[in-house]
Amino acid sequence: MDRIQLLQGDITEMHVDAIVNAANRSLLGGGGVDGAIHRAAGPKLKEACAKLNGCETGQAKITTAYRLPSRYVIHTVGPVWHGGEIGEKQQLASAYQNSLILAKEHKLKTIAFPNISTGVYAFPKELAAKIAIQTVLEFLDDDDWFEEVTFCVYDDENYKIYQDLLNV
Ligand code: AR6
């Protein structure tokens, strides 16, 4: 728990090794946090993403971060919520897990996550938070690589949910 941080704010302003983007399978940009990251990083990010051939749901790909203060952007694709019976929970856990694996492969020590799938993709916020926290905690329990994992929460509802679940 001591390597987990909760923060409310804009992930594009974070000075960490990697910020995670809640992207779509095209990786060509969109709204929400994805739009904010592309705007702040500048047009070169989209050029880099265009070379990645998209990304499957639950998987992750990496680019440098261009004008952002972070060093890298890890682009992951969370599931669209369809009621929870078609593997959405596992796919959300995979998005967190594969982002962490990719960060470690690139020797990155600090990483910040937005609340993947809880905006346009309509995943229930409390359930998404439980899955996010459990997946990150399990990873950190098994592995001492990461120095700090930040949940960068934007909206008040998610912030309250994370405060309650993390007991902070
Ligand atoms: N910093 C941190 N979190 C943010 C920011 C920000 N600047 N802006 C929004 N959020 P969403 P999704 C939070 O919709 O549900 C895009 O169009 C927001 O409050 O960005 O995974 C993609 O291209 C919410 O809690 O992502 C995809 O098509 C969280 O980010 C689709 O949306 C996620 O909301 C992905 O949908």
Side-chain angles (χ1 to χ4, degrees):
M1 213 49 137
D2 55 325
R3 289 180 288 153
I4 289 187
Q5 192 195 192
L6 175 64
L7 188 103
Q8 187 171 22
D10 183 348
I11 203 165
T12 66
E13 294 173 4
M14 288 202 66
H15 293 253
V16 284
D17 291 335
I19 61 167
V20 176
N21 183 15
N24 58 60
R25 291 193 300 163
S26 78
L27 297 185
L28 296 178
V33 70
D34 193 7
I37 288 172
H38 276 271
R39 273 194 303 280
K44 287 204 166 127
L45 182 62
K46 192 169 173 184
E47 285 170 30
C49 286
K51 295 184 184 140
L52 297 176
N53 289 316
C55 182
E56 292 303 319
T57 304
Q59 300 298 311
K61 296 202 175 174
I62 191 165
T63 63
T64 55
Y66 301 98
R67 292 181 196 152
L68 291 164
S70 65
R71 292 171 55 210
Y72 291 88
V73 179
I74 291 177
H75 307 264
T76 191
V77 183
V80 178
W81 180 257
H82 289 292
E85 301 299 323
I86 56 166
E88 296 97 322
K89 289 171 262 189
Q90 186 50 52
Q91 286 173 326
L92 186 64
S94 296
Y96 281 91
Q97 205 171 28
N98 285 322
S99 298
L100 292 166
I101 290 169
L102 194 55
K104 187 180 171 188
E105 281 171 3
H106 284 77
K107 306 205 179 326
L108 309 179
K109 289 269 187 194
T110 55
I111 182 169
F113 284 98
N115 304 140
I116 300 165
S117 285
T118 67
V120 175
Y121 283 179
F123 205 106
K125 289 182 178 176
E126 182 154 4
L127 180 57
K130 284 181 179 161
I131 292 168
I133 291 167
Q134 191 190 336
T135 306
V136 168
L137 278 179
E138 277 172 13
F139 197 100
L140 295 184
D141 267 356
D142 290 347
D143 194 311
D144 60 7
W145 173 259
F146 287 101
E147 273 168 17
E148 192 162 73
V149 178
T150 303
F151 291 111
C152 178
V153 176
Y154 199 62
D155 59 282
D156 293 339
E157 192 187 347
N158 263 319
Y159 191 60
K160 173 91 180 60
I161 291 169
Y162 273 80
Q163 275 184 315
D164 288 348
L165 290 173
L166 292 169
N167 246 328
V168 289

